[in-house]
Amino acid sequence: MNAFIISSFLTAGLSIILGLFIFLQNPRDKTNRLWSLTTFAVFLNWLGLGFICISNNAEQAFFWQKILYVGTIFIPIFFFHFCNSLLNRVGKIKGLLFVGYFLSVAFIVAIFLSNFFISGVTNMTDIRYWPVEIGILYYIFLVYYLFYLVYTVVLLKSSHKNTTGQLQKQIEFIYYATLIGFVGGSTNFLLDFNFNSYPVGNYFMTFYILFITYAILKYHLFSLKIIATEFITFSIWIFMFIRLLLADTIKDQIIDGVLLALLILFGGFLIQSVIKEVKQREKIEKLASDLETANIHLTELDRQKSEFVSFATHQLRAPLTAMKGYASLILEGDMGPISEEVKQAVSRIFDSSKTLANIVDDYLNLTRIELGTMKYAFDTVDLKAMVDDVIGELGPNLKRQGLDFSFTTEDLADQWDWRVTADRDKLKQVIANIIDNAIKYTPQGFVHVSLSYDKPRHKFIFKVEDNGIGIAPETLPLLFNKFSRAGNANKANIKGTGLGLFVAKQIIDSHHGIITAASPGEGKGATFTVELDPFAKA
């Protein structure tokens, strides 16, 4: 028996096994059923070819030649139907399906009841027998075969361009399998006119089976895990059934029968559990894909939100600056004398516009941080002079609350001063925020500001201590998060945004410094510390 005959029966076996297990995976699924019918048609084709090659006489060969053509006739229409079902477009080609199935049945009737298709076989060197005396219906069959084949190839090609993801990969492999398997296999129909030619086109059909199998393995065209489970389970059942038939004694038959019943019972449970697991996995994969899409959409929405807030805050800064400027001129008397009542009203306007300007700055800095557009202009800055400036600007707030306020600095050696490398405006914003917070959240008592030098660590230490409302232990780890505020902060100051300390930390991090907060608990004050390198570099 030569390699061609062996490959014929081997491919026939692969075809029927693949089709059977796909059908058993989900018998109710129309696409599964159509693919199983397609593989069954391929099985008949190869089975007929194999028996033709080993037939002992022309009569046997002629019978198997008819079986071969039954498979060959049904392959294009089954495969055409399968591809349209996979693409959810069966409703559009009902007329073509009717014509195809009608012609298929007509060809098969002609094969078995007339000589209009083929009328016999002839001897051939390697294959022994091959069809002879081709009739008129054979030419009509060629047109039918090529029409549905070409239609399917064009359909797969166009659908591949209009799909994405896993379905696109499935279509791609089916498309190439069709080109190699069916187009290559179609050469046999041309060879039917040359009876001494070897049917090399059948080898191309082997690639068709291998390509579809690869698509199953790689892209889960059908569930490989289910198929493998069913294949192993059914193989064990068949093995036990054969043992039962071959058992010599009643005792062996009883044992093998009980084992077979148990294997059928537990095998059924195993298959069902695998099917359930695969469905759950597919559901999870779909949910993960949907979540990924939603995350991409949310990221884009977040970016658009940040851009909108940035634009809005930019537009608010100009009118707020004008309000503060004119209110300041009125309070300082540059616009002429005003009554005490008007002065109080303008003072409230000034304070409110200043508060709103700080809120706008916080949101503007937040959006810059989120968009990655925060820019720093590093320069040499005198840290002590900057703290003095901030304290001078906050002087009216200190007088209004009557707090015990102090600012102390450590005496440095002659070779040191209080210079650091920093963005002047942004570092001043951090220092002002920390001192202002201490004043706001200390209704009465003290606020102590200090500058010192940690010689072993070579760090400047800026520290603000107060005996105000304090911070709860559970709040401390979250204090520098976005929109995070202590639970008792709203009682002391309802105007806070929860952004000041978040922005402060981002700024200090960009200066390669450290900002921390500590508190013994609510009502026991708090301490904020900023550590910076002398002559710090960006």
Side-chain angles (χ1 to χ4, degrees):
M1 187 177 290
N2 60 34
F4 179 80
I5 298 173
I6 294 173
S7 66
S8 297
F9 286 115
L10 181 61
T11 307
L14 287 174
S15 300
I16 194 63
I17 290 173
L18 184 60
L20 177 63
F21 285 119
I22 288 172
F23 174 76
L24 292 176
Q25 173 193 339
N26 189 359
R28 296 182 180 181
D29 185 83
K30 187 174 182 179
T31 304
N32 283 23
R33 294 200 303 266
L34 288 169
W35 172 246
S36 299
L37 287 172
T38 305
T39 56
F40 181 70
V42 174
F43 161 76
L44 290 179
N45 180 279
W46 281 91
L47 186 71
L49 180 61
F51 277 107
I52 288 172
C53 297
I54 62 173
S55 294
N56 295 319
N57 54 64
E59 185 178 355
Q60 273 187 357
F62 189 40
F63 170 78
W64 287 111
Q65 185 69 50
K66 293 177 180 179
I67 298 298
L68 179 151
Y69 274 112
V70 169
T72 306
I73 289 167
F74 274 120
I75 286 174
I77 189 61
F78 282 157
F79 189 65
F80 172 75
H81 198 169
F82 160 74
C83 290
N84 279 277
S85 178
L86 184 68
L87 298 171
N88 293 316
R89 58 186 314 276
V90 173
K92 299 179 181 179
I93 46 89
K94 287 183 177 180
L96 288 175
L97 287 175
F98 175 80
V99 172
Y101 283 116
F102 175 81
L103 289 175
S104 300
V105 173
F107 291 141
I108 292 171
V109 170
I111 287 174
F112 285 96
L113 299 181
S114 74
N115 294 326
F116 293 117
F117 199 95
I118 54 172
S119 58
V121 294
T122 188
N123 284 324
M124 203 174 159
T125 305
D126 293 324
I127 302 180
R128 270 195 187 168
Y129 300 100
W130 200 241
V132 70
E133 298 181 19
I134 294 172
I136 185 63
L137 284 181
Y138 188 89
Y139 299 98
I140 298 175
F141 160 72
L142 284 181
V143 175
Y144 148 85
Y145 186 96
L146 293 174
F147 172 80
Y148 283 96
L149 174 64
V150 172
Y151 193 112
T152 305
V153 170
V154 173
L155 174 64
L156 291 171
K157 183 67 174 178
S158 61
S159 299
H160 180 265
K161 297 178 181 178
N162 300 323
T163 54
T164 57
Q166 182 173 296
L167 180 59
Q168 186 181 53
K169 287 294 184 181
Q170 293 171 353
I171 294 173
E172 181 178 349
F173 272 86
I174 295 172
Y175 171 74
Y176 286 115
T178 305
L179 288 181
I180 294 176
F182 289 132
V183 175
S186 298
T187 57
N188 282 349
F189 299 125
L190 301 177
L191 295 176
D192 285 349
F193 297 100
N194 183 358
F195 306 125
N196 293 316
S197 298
Y198 194 79
V200 293
N202 286 278
Y203 285 115
F204 290 98
M205 290 297 292
T206 306
F207 288 104
Y208 165 76
I209 299 297
L210 294 176
F211 262 59
I212 297 295
T213 303
Y214 180 74
I216 294 171
L217 290 169
K218 189 171 179 63
Y219 297 107
H220 305 286
L221 185 55
F222 301 102
S223 176
L224 175 67
K225 192 171 184 178
I226 295 174
I227 293 173
T229 304
E230 292 173 340
F231 178 79
I232 295 171
T233 304
F234 292 156
S235 297
I236 295 173
W237 290 352
I238 293 170
F239 174 76
M240 288 303 303
F241 182 70
I242 294 173
R243 277 181 57 91
L244 176 63
L245 295 178
L246 298 178
D248 296 328
T249 65
I250 297 297
K251 181 180 178 181
D252 289 340
Q253 290 177 348
I254 293 173
I255 293 173
D256 291 340
V258 172
L259 287 175
L260 177 59
L262 290 174
L263 287 171
I264 291 174
L265 177 63
F266 289 107
F269 284 129
L270 175 63
I271 292 172
Q272 289 300 318
S273 65
V274 171
I275 291 173
K276 185 177 180 180
E277 178 192 341
V278 169
K279 288 182 178 178
Q280 288 177 341
R281 184 192 64 194
E282 291 174 349
K283 186 176 181 179
I284 292 171
E285 289 177 352
K286 184 179 184 302
L287 289 174
S289 177
D290 292 343
L291 182 60
E292 183 179 358
T293 303
N295 284 337
I296 294 172
H297 182 60
L298 287 174
T299 302
E300 176 61 19
L301 288 178
D302 187 61
R303 184 190 64 79
Q304 292 177 4
K305 177 267 299 177
S306 298
E307 290 180 351
F308 171 76
V309 172
S310 178
F311 172 78
T313 49
H314 268 296
Q315 299 304 311
L316 286 171
R317 291 186 76 184
L320 285 173
T321 302
M323 290 168 62
K324 285 174 58 181
Y326 282 110
S328 177
L329 289 174
I330 294 172
L331 289 174
E332 293 172 3
D334 294 339
M335 306 290 288
I338 56 174
S339 65
E340 189 64 27
E341 188 179 37
V342 173
K343 189 174 184 179
Q344 289 180 1
V346 174
S347 178
R348 290 176 182 172
I349 293 173
F350 179 79
D351 289 342
S352 296
S353 60
K354 184 179 178 182
T355 300
L356 186 55
N358 290 336
I359 293 173
V360 168
D361 284 339
D362 284 343
Y363 275 104
L364 185 58
N365 285 325
L366 172 64
T367 55
R368 286 171 176 168
I369 291 168
E370 289 180 337
L371 294 172
T373 58
M374 179 77 91
K375 296 181 180 179
Y376 296 89
F378 289 98
D379 197 2
T380 303
V381 177
D382 188 323
L383 186 58
K384 179 179 179 299
M386 179 179 286
V387 176
D388 281 327
D389 288 345
V390 171
I391 293 172
E393 294 174 2
L394 296 175
N397 291 347
L398 290 169
K399 291 179 182 178
R400 196 179 303 137
Q401 289 191 220
L403 298 173
D404 177 13
F405 185 86
S406 65
F407 173 41
T408 59
T409 59
E410 179 183 324
D411 291 332
L412 298 178
D414 294 339
Q415 71 269 28
W416 294 105
D417 55 27
W418 293 104
R419 288 182 298 170
V420 295
T421 301
D423 183 305
R424 184 182 303 274
D425 293 334
K426 291 183 175 60
L427 183 58
K428 185 176 181 180
Q429 177 184 342
V430 174
I431 292 172
N433 184 281
I434 294 174
I435 298 176
D436 190 44
N437 279 351
I439 296 171
K440 287 177 182 176
Y441 299 119
T442 306
Q444 57 183 4
F446 68 85
V447 174
H448 293 165
V449 180
S450 64
L451 270 179
S452 60
Y453 174 59
D454 186 339
K455 188 173 182 179
R457 298 172 56 231
H458 193 49
K459 297 282 186 182
F460 285 154
I461 309 297
F462 167 73
K463 185 180 292 184
V464 179
E465 301 174 84
D466 64 66
N467 66 336
I469 64 173
I471 307 167
E474 63 270 15
T475 304
L476 274 173
L478 308 173
L479 203 60
F480 294 99
N481 291 350
K482 192 165 38 176
F483 299 113
S484 177
R485 300 191 75 199
N488 56 357
N490 289 325
K491 300 176 183 178
N493 176 33
I494 63 172
K495 299 177 181 178
T497 61
L499 293 174
L501 291 178
F502 169 78
V503 173
K505 187 178 188 311
Q506 302 301 313
I507 292 174
I508 295 302
D509 287 348
S510 297
H511 283 72
H512 307 293
I514 301 172
I515 181 171
T516 58
S519 175
E522 291 190 14
K524 299 179 181 180
T527 300
F528 283 83
T529 304
V530 175
E531 300 179 10
L532 293 171
D533 294 325
F535 303 100
K537 296 182 180 180

